[in-house]
Amino acid sequence: MISQLKAAATRPEAKVPAIQMEAPAARVNFADALKGALDSVASAQQTSADLGKRFTMGDDSVSLSDVMVASQKAGIQFQATVQVRNKLVSSYHEIMNMQV
């Protein structure tokens, strides 16, 4: 049996199976990612404020449901941003308090 395995391994058609590897993920600059997230939150808040103002002025193309959905989206994005900020500050304090 061992001789059969050796013979199979030395045959020219015996190839090592190719390992399929995924392409490496693109590097993301933390500062750019953070700025993009903050810009997204600011944009959502601006959109919410604009829709609210247009609805208050009596624009018929804006419905109350659109205003409420935009307001909720902006609120959720802001709350998520605050939570990320809190985690970053907490991590910073934890790192600064580490003994060297």
Side-chain angles (χ1 to χ4, degrees), residues 51-95:
L51 284 175
K53 188 181 293 183
R54 286 175 49 197
F55 181 77
T56 304
M57 296 264 200
D59 189 352
D60 292 334
S61 65
V62 179
S63 67
L64 179 60
S65 61
D66 293 338
V67 174
M68 295 306 295
V69 167
S71 175
Q72 289 298 314
K73 282 182 181 180
I76 289 170
Q77 286 183 353
F78 182 73
Q79 288 173 2
T81 302
V82 169
Q83 292 300 319
V84 169
R85 185 221 38 191
N86 291 345
K87 279 291 190 186
L88 285 172
V89 170
S90 173
S91 298
Y92 173 78
H93 285 297
E94 188 174 325
I95 290 171

Side-chain angles (χ1 to χ4, degrees), residues 25-39 88:
R27 289 188 173 211
V28 178
N29 187 354
F30 179 75
D32 292 340
L34 186 61
K35 183 177 180 342
L38 292 176
D39 288 344
L88 285 172

